[in-house]
Amino acid sequence: MKKVLLVDDHAFLRDALAEVMRRQFPQAQVLEAGTLQATRSLLAVHADVELLLLDLSLPDGNGLQALPGLHRATAARIVVMSADERIETVNAALEAGAAGYLPKTLGGDSMLAAVQRVLAGGVYVPALAFGARAALPLTEPAPTLSPRQRDVLGWLVAGAANKVIARELDIAEATVKSHVTAIFEAFGVANRTQVVVEVARRGWLVEPQRKRAP
């Protein structure tokens, strides 16, 4: 990663996060902004920002409302940071283009793991954002999915494209598309982001798996 932009109006928190990013990504340039206006100005100059960590509460605007515009202004992966852990806020951020949602209560190691997942092309939604409603054990599989569909689900949650899933599972891309459609139907959703949200809401732990006999 070449550049990361941290957006938070609390200088102390921003400085602490910047130090964590510098330790984890020593080759990266860490940029900082405390307002939406400063964020837009930095993005106009630094077109190669790869990761944008965005607080939702900023003095000159609401980060959630600004997300679509920021998403259009940069190719960076945008990850929201917030003390708001309500499911409706998480959903709104993902629908607006965020690639992840980090509660400010998240520990340092968990935060870094989430950032790594996003940088690898995945989407991060913490199960804790759904509180007690994550009623199923973390290891319980989706009862309506076949073993192959659960394999595909793991790669969907990791943010992999159909072509990548086909390669990793050694199956045809058309077969992947068929499984993805079946997964959408099983969850009652219309897109991949909604699948990620549903997996997190149920508290399921799904990991990418590789070749399995059909």
Side-chain angles (χ1 to χ4, degrees), residues 3-194:
K3 292 181 182 178
V4 56
L5 173 55
L6 311 178
V7 183
D8 195 302
D9 63 326
H10 291 90
F12 178 79
L13 178 60
R14 197 171 65 239
D15 290 346
L17 186 57
E19 182 59 30
V20 171
M21 290 293 107
R22 291 187 181 100
R23 287 203 306 267
Q24 184 68 18
F25 306 102
Q27 304 303 318
Q29 180 181 357
V30 179
L31 307 171
E32 300 180 40
T35 65
L36 285 171
Q37 182 177 354
T39 300
R40 295 186 184 101
S41 296
L42 283 171
L43 289 176
V45 175
H46 299 274
D48 54 347
V49 168
E50 295 180 46
L51 177 68
L52 194 164
L53 297 179
L54 175 70
D55 185 20
L56 291 185
S57 300
L58 296 167
D60 59 343
N62 182 287
L64 191 57
Q65 295 174 353
L67 252 172
L70 292 175
H71 191 58
R72 290 191 296 269
T74 179
R77 304 280 281 170
I78 302 176
V79 176
V80 164
M81 304 181 297
S82 179
D84 184 347
E85 298 180 18
R86 293 174 298 171
I87 186 172
E88 54 267 30
T89 307
V90 176
N91 282 338
L94 295 174
E95 292 293 343
Y101 198 98
L102 304 182
K104 289 191 174 180
T105 54
L106 208 60
D109 289 343
S110 296
M111 183 199 71
L112 288 174
V115 168
Q116 293 282 15
R117 182 170 195 158
V118 169
L119 289 174
V123 176
Y124 180 82
V125 183
L128 62 85
F130 301 91
R133 280 175 286 184
L136 300 180
L138 290 177
T139 55
E140 183 170 339
T144 57
L145 300 183
S146 70
R148 178 64 85 189
Q149 288 165 354
R150 289 198 294 270
D151 291 342
V152 173
L153 176 63
W155 286 102
L156 282 182
V157 172
N162 287 352
K163 183 180 297 185
V164 174
I165 298 173
R167 182 180 69 242
E168 294 295 343
L169 297 180
D170 196 23
I171 57 178
E173 191 170 347
T175 303
V176 173
K177 291 179 181 178
S178 178
H179 286 320
V180 169
T181 298
I183 290 168
F184 286 178
E185 291 176 354
F187 280 101
V189 301
N191 58 52
R192 293 173 179 237
T193 296
Q194 292 171 356

